[in-house]
Amino acid sequence: MKNWIDKFYFSFPVQLLGLHLRSNQLLIFIWLLLTLMMTGMVGSDFGMKYVFLDPEYLGKVNFISFFIVGMAYGGFYITWNLTSYLLSAHHFPFLATLNRPFRKYTLNNFIIPALFLITFFFSVIRFQIVFEFWSVGSTILKCIGFIIGTVLVTALVNTYLRYTNKDIENYVKKRKNKPPNLIKFIAPGRRTPNLEMLKKDQNVWKVKTYLTAKYKLRLVRSIAHYDSSLLLSIFKQNHTNALIIQLISLVILLFFGILIDYPWFRLPAGASIFILASILVAVSGAITYWFQDWKLSVFLFLLLGINWITGHQNFNYNNKAYGLDYNVEPANYNGESLSQLTQPDIISADKAATLKILENWKAKHTEEKPKMILTCVSGGGLKASTWAVEVLQKADQALNRELLQHTVLISGSSGGLMGTAYLRECYYQEQLGKIKNMYDIDHVENISLDLLNSIAFMIVSNDLFLPWMEFEKGGYRYRKDRGYIFEKQLNENTNYVMDKRIVDYRQPEQDAEIPLMFVTPSIVNDGRRMVISSQPVSYMMVSPIGVTNDRSVEIDAVDFGRLFEKQNAENLNFVTALRMNATYPFILPNVHLPSKPVIEVMDAGFRDNFGVKSAVRFTHVFNDWIKENTSGVVLILIQGRDRSEDISESESKGIISNLLDPLGIASKMMRLQEFDHDTSLGFTYDNLGNDMFDVIRFKYKPSEQNEEASMTFHLTENEKRDIINAMNDANNQESLNRLKAHFE
């Protein structure tokens, strides 16, 4: 028994695992992070696990999509083994005496990949059968696709190594009858002048047994009779091939990035994550291999160097708003310029223009005082987009097409506004006779189509290497990055119906053919909101009291059209405006505008995730007209998540957690906004009167048998069905009945 335990403990697989745990923690961490994402322990709210468990390619989850993810995993698996071989092979000099040493190393380095694969296949099978309702046969077929993809890539690399890597027999033949030529280095800092020193080296790990190609245990042979320079030559040549393979992989990745415009080359997001992991492993391994004890200093130096270089004009790249002119004099963004935009005469002119729109809206109704609808939609990725379209379709049908006819303003954040903008366009297209039915289920399907795959692959294949490819939009040229591919994919999903300029919506809004829409991304520089509209809306920049009583309140918003008038603001691409409004940190790039100083904008949700601020300000500005010309205002609030019962417990915490505890409330930003909005809505009730104002909420709440849909740019089929069915919830049906009562 003792002999068996001794052989097991000193077996090559066990010793390799021990070495990784001791010296290669970064390589272990990458496996751990992938496992945590795949199981939903990390990034669950953003749907990270679904990119592994439900990968989508060309709009479908099938054998091919899993096959592609399997190929990417195979690339990661090979890269990880190549990197660990570079870093660890010298600890096991007996490897050089074996035929095809890298293959033997890979076979014995199986413990960590095997644990990952067991977890992966268990998670996939459980998810596909339990949550996606696929048959066992179909699920097994997908897993086979993953396995075939992995085996194919692994086989291709092994075939290359088989004919290029030299083993002990090749070197013995070449060096027969020649004096030994000692190789002094395995890697920088690792001097090995002779075999005796190698045998005494404390870095050499004791190994008694190893697995053969036939998965049989074999005793390790003595290396005493081999020339040390011969063994080291084999390692050096194998290392060179490993670096060549990693370089070829990067070249292929860049080539795919060039072809990103073609849907066939947009890999599943899960594949992109494995590719990114491969890059991280290869880069970290190369730095560790070449610089050894200096690796941390080199990492820090590289990060600081890259940051310094990319800060220079020639290497600096910031995402831009497509359609704007960045070649003219930048707009001045300061207190003085904002004050100029909020002069009483400017605000009066803009109010008069909007009042004319309101009169046109009123003229389209037979009632003397029609009911005014304001629609506010929350953010939340494709979940919010799909939910917004579903609610508006069902509500408009229930009201016999009166909902959108009575809607004056649409505002909101992120995915919710993206979906509402799409349905507004379908409403307009139906009036023009270009589509037959705005209630078609295809519109729900279109807005729920995947956006994440394209973004993820663009990050890996292009953005990590500094965007350099260009394209033309609105008469100007910009660089391609993940912002570009997001817009392209959204246009493809929605049949390019929103591929318009801001100015293209001016006349339809003025004629009250479609509701007004305010797109309000947050300004990073100072926290203000940027109000993007096809109409001049300087009155949205400050509370009405700020116009009549100068300096009584701060200017808290910026009229995009007026500030960037000379930069061709009306030429801004509408989908770009929607992207600016839905800029998830890290997933999409912040947009930099042509101003001095440069304005940086990001997701509207950081200031107002529900669009309520815009709606309340609008009612405040046009308070008198609303009271005189309407029978009241109904504010429809479409929420992508029900937070009414989301109360966390306060548990005992460690000393570090307690030190950070004051920051805990920062994670409740959306909840804080809801309380703030309720205060604003309360003032609106007081201002208009209880009989003139009502708030009706439609909340997405998952069914009991389903988890809540993730807040990301990818939805599973089960999540789509659950969102659609949420309209049947008792609370939402009650809200629908309340809405119908306003039109009876």
Side-chain angles (χ1 to χ4, degrees):
M1 174 64 74
K2 182 179 179 181
N3 185 48
W4 183 89
I5 294 176
D6 190 56
K7 286 183 178 180
F8 172 79
Y9 179 76
F10 290 106
S11 65
F12 193 21
V14 173
Q15 291 297 298
L16 265 177
L17 177 62
L19 176 62
H20 291 324
L21 293 173
R22 190 200 74 170
S23 304
N24 299 328
Q25 290 92 348
L26 180 59
L27 300 184
I28 298 292
F29 173 75
I30 292 176
W31 282 104
L32 178 62
L33 183 60
L34 290 172
T35 303
L36 292 176
M37 289 192 295
M38 177 185 64
T39 55
M41 299 179 70
V42 169
S44 178
D45 288 343
F46 297 95
M48 289 303 300
K49 64 180 179 180
Y50 299 139
V51 304
F52 297 98
L53 308 182
D54 201 47
E56 188 172 304
Y57 177 64
L58 295 177
K60 297 180 180 179
V61 179
N62 51 24
F63 176 91
I64 296 176
S65 65
F66 272 89
F67 171 78
I68 294 173
V69 175
M71 291 182 67
Y73 170 79
F76 168 68
Y77 170 74
I78 288 293
T79 302
W80 184 77
N81 273 296
L82 287 170
T83 302
S84 63
Y85 183 74
L86 284 171
L87 302 178
S88 307
H90 68 277
H91 291 291
F92 308 98
F94 79 92
L95 276 172
T97 69
L98 304 178
N99 180 33
R100 301 170 67 183
F102 176 70
R103 185 184 180 191
K104 299 296 191 303
Y105 179 90
T106 303
L107 289 173
N108 285 268
N109 197 23
F110 73 90
I111 295 179
I112 296 173
L115 291 174
F116 178 84
L117 284 178
I118 291 171
T119 306
F120 173 78
F121 286 123
F122 173 80
S123 301
V124 166
I125 292 172
R126 176 177 177 272
F127 178 81
Q128 292 290 327
I129 293 177
V130 176
F131 295 103
E132 289 297 296
F133 311 115
W134 286 98
S135 66
V136 175
S138 177
T139 302
I140 296 299
L141 182 63
K142 294 174 184 176
C143 292
I144 292 174
F146 181 92
I147 294 171
I148 292 176
T150 302
V151 171
L152 177 62
V153 171
T154 306
L156 289 173
V157 174
N158 282 331
T159 300
Y160 167 78
L161 295 175
R162 179 176 183 180
Y163 292 102
T164 56
N165 271 0
K166 306 298 182 183
D167 54 31
I168 194 72
E169 294 180 1
N170 298 100
Y171 278 92
V172 168
K173 291 178 182 178
K174 288 183 179 181
R175 301 185 59 183
K176 191 175 183 180
N177 300 323
K178 291 185 179 181
N181 180 21
L182 297 182
I183 296 177
K184 302 297 184 182
F185 295 88
I186 294 179
R190 296 190 181 279
R191 298 184 63 86
T192 54
N194 55 56
L195 183 60
E196 290 304 318
M197 290 188 66
L198 181 63
K199 292 167 63 178
K200 294 178 182 179
D201 188 354
Q202 296 301 313
N203 288 323
V204 175
W205 284 50
K206 181 179 179 181
V207 175
K208 291 186 176 182
T209 60
Y210 69 95
L211 285 176
T212 68
K214 296 182 179 180
Y215 294 97
K216 294 182 179 180
L217 280 178
R218 179 172 293 178
L219 293 174
V220 172
R221 293 182 295 174
S222 171
I223 63 171
H225 59 289
Y226 288 105
D227 183 356
S228 62
S229 64
L230 183 65
L231 302 180
L232 300 178
S233 296
I234 295 170
F235 283 132
K236 182 178 179 181
Q237 194 273 336
N238 280 208
H239 292 169
T240 301
N241 264 340
L243 293 174
I244 290 173
I245 290 174
Q246 291 174 348
L247 180 61
I248 292 174
S249 300
L250 288 177
V251 172
I252 293 174
L253 182 62
L254 289 172
F255 175 74
F256 269 62
I258 295 173
L259 301 174
I260 191 69
D261 283 336
Y262 302 96
W264 287 90
F265 292 94
R266 299 175 200 163
L267 304 185
S272 298
I273 292 177
F274 280 126
I275 294 172
L276 178 59
S278 300
I279 294 174
L280 294 176
V281 166
V283 171
S284 62
I287 292 175
T288 302
Y289 174 69
W290 290 111
F291 297 98
Q292 297 298 321
D293 295 337
W294 290 89
K295 58 181 180 290
L296 292 179
S297 299
V298 172
F299 271 121
L300 180 61
F301 176 79
L302 284 177
L303 289 175
L304 294 176
I306 292 172
N307 183 66
W308 179 76
I309 291 173
T310 54
H312 284 68
Q313 187 64 34
N314 293 335
F315 296 94
N316 179 264
Y317 169 73
N318 291 318
N319 182 268
K320 298 178 179 179
Y322 308 146
L324 290 190
D325 187 355
Y326 285 77
N327 299 316
V328 299
E329 183 71 19
N332 288 317
Y333 183 62
N334 50 47
E336 182 180 350
S337 62
L338 294 181
S339 295
Q340 290 297 322
L341 296 180
T342 54
Q343 292 299 307
D345 57 332
I346 294 178
I347 290 182
S348 295
D350 291 355
K351 285 180 61 177
T354 302
L355 284 170
K356 187 175 181 180
I357 294 174
L358 293 175
E359 292 292 346
N360 291 338
W361 168 82
K362 181 183 177 183
K364 287 182 174 291
H365 298 88
T366 57
E367 310 101 300
E368 180 182 354
K369 291 187 175 184
K371 186 74 70 174
M372 177 185 285
I373 301 290
L374 305 178
T375 300
C376 299
V377 289
S378 76
L382 290 186
K383 169 182 68 175
S385 299
T386 306
W387 177 235
V389 173
E390 175 66 17
V391 169
L392 291 176
Q393 279 188 335
K394 291 293 191 295
D396 198 54
Q397 280 183 301
L399 295 177
N400 298 315
R401 294 183 173 269
E402 290 194 69
L403 177 65
L404 291 177
Q405 291 178 9
H406 282 78
T407 301
V408 168
L409 173 67
I410 296 172
S411 60
S413 170
S414 193
L417 193 68
M418 193 165 65
T420 311
Y422 173 57
L423 190 68
R424 183 182 75 149
E425 180 61 38
C426 292
Y427 173 63
Y428 184 49
Q429 294 280 322
E430 187 183 60
Q431 294 179 56
L432 298 176
K434 294 183 178 181
I435 66 172
K436 294 182 179 180
N437 185 6
M438 62 168 286
Y439 305 130
D440 198 312
I441 189 63
D442 287 346
H443 301 314
V444 178
E445 290 293 330
N446 290 344
I447 201 61
S448 65
L449 291 175
D450 177 81
L451 294 169
L452 185 60
N453 288 338
S454 300
I455 298 172
F457 188 65
M458 194 65 166
I459 292 173
V460 174
S461 64
N462 181 79
D463 290 18
L464 289 180
F465 305 98
L466 195 63
W468 57 273
M469 295 183 292
E470 292 187 345
F471 71 102
E472 186 273 333
K473 193 72 176 181
Y476 308 106
R477 296 196 66 79
Y478 310 93
R479 293 191 193 180
K480 293 182 180 180
D481 63 0
R482 60 191 186 278
Y484 160 80
I485 202 61
F486 168 86
E487 294 186 25
K488 184 175 179 61
Q489 187 67 68
L490 178 59
N491 278 325
E492 290 177 2
N493 293 352
T494 55
N495 301 313
Y496 286 88
V497 296
M498 293 189 293
D499 189 21
K500 298 180 175 182
R501 302 170 300 163
I502 289 290
V503 69
D504 294 329
Y505 286 106
R506 180 173 297 166
Q507 197 60 48
E509 288 184 355
Q510 289 178 350
D511 295 338
E513 294 176 341
I514 56 176
L516 293 167
M517 178 170 284
F518 293 164
V519 183
T520 56
S522 306
I523 299 177
V524 175
N525 308 54
D526 55 19
R528 289 185 170 95
R529 294 185 305 137
M530 180 70 74
V531 183
I532 303 174
S533 172
S534 63
Q535 312 299 325
V537 289
S538 59
Y539 53 79
M540 293 296 295
M541 293 178 61
V542 64
S543 180
I545 190 63
V547 181
T548 57
N549 189 357
D550 190 26
R551 298 183 181 180
S552 58
V553 293
E554 287 285 340
I555 296 172
D556 61 359
V558 181
D559 182 353
F560 176 86
R562 286 202 173 274
L563 181 64
F564 294 104
E565 183 177 3
K566 294 180 180 179
Q567 288 72 33
N568 207 1
E570 64 181 16
N571 193 53
L572 177 70
N573 184 259
F574 181 64
V575 175
T576 299
L578 293 177
R579 172 169 65 87
M580 292 162 65
N581 204 57
T583 304
Y584 284 22
F586 305 112
I587 298 177
L588 289 175
N590 289 356
V591 178
H592 295 72
L593 301 174
S595 61
K596 187 168 57 176
V598 173
I599 293 176
E600 184 179 354
V601 296
M602 65 184 307
D603 199 292
F606 285 91
R607 275 298 312 275
D608 181 8
N609 195 51
F610 304 91
V612 171
K613 288 182 181 295
S614 296
V616 169
R617 174 69 56 83
F618 189 84
T619 61
H620 196 182
V621 172
F622 297 103
N623 175 66
D624 293 338
W625 189 93
I626 290 172
K627 289 180 177 179
E628 293 177 8
N629 295 275
T630 73
S631 59
V633 175
V634 177
L635 189 148
I636 298 177
L637 186 54
I638 303 174
Q639 297 178 240
R641 183 175 180 179
D642 182 9
R643 301 174 185 266
S644 58
E645 298 179 0
D646 186 14
I647 302 175
S648 59
E649 294 185 8
S650 180
E651 301 175 351
S652 58
K653 303 172 184 177
I655 185 171
I656 303 298
S657 298
N658 282 325
L659 287 174
L660 298 176
D661 186 63
L663 301 177
I665 196 171
S667 64
K668 309 298 182 184
M669 182 174 61
M670 298 299 107
R671 196 73 176 113
L672 294 174
Q673 285 188 14
E674 284 189 291
F675 293 141
D676 182 48
H677 293 338
D678 284 345
T679 301
S680 299
L681 293 174
F683 284 131
T684 306
Y685 271 109
D686 292 338
N687 185 40
L688 294 176
N690 288 342
D691 58 336
M692 286 285 290
F693 186 65
D694 192 13
V695 178
I696 299 178
R697 303 173 188 266
F698 291 92
K699 298 181 180 181
Y700 160 66
K701 188 176 182 180
S703 55
E704 293 183 1
Q705 65 270 28
N706 289 299
E707 298 179 358
E708 182 173 339
S710 54
M711 188 177 65
T712 183
F713 288 133
H714 175 86
L715 292 176
T716 66
E717 287 299 323
N718 189 46
E719 286 177 330
K720 293 177 187 178
R721 289 198 296 267
D722 193 54
I723 293 171
I724 293 172
N725 292 332
M727 195 60 186
N728 297 322
D729 178 76
N731 292 326
N732 290 325
Q733 286 297 307
E734 180 184 350
S735 296
L736 185 60
N737 290 331
R738 283 180 54 201
L739 181 60
K740 290 163 65 175
H742 282 284
F743 291 88
E744 292 177 352

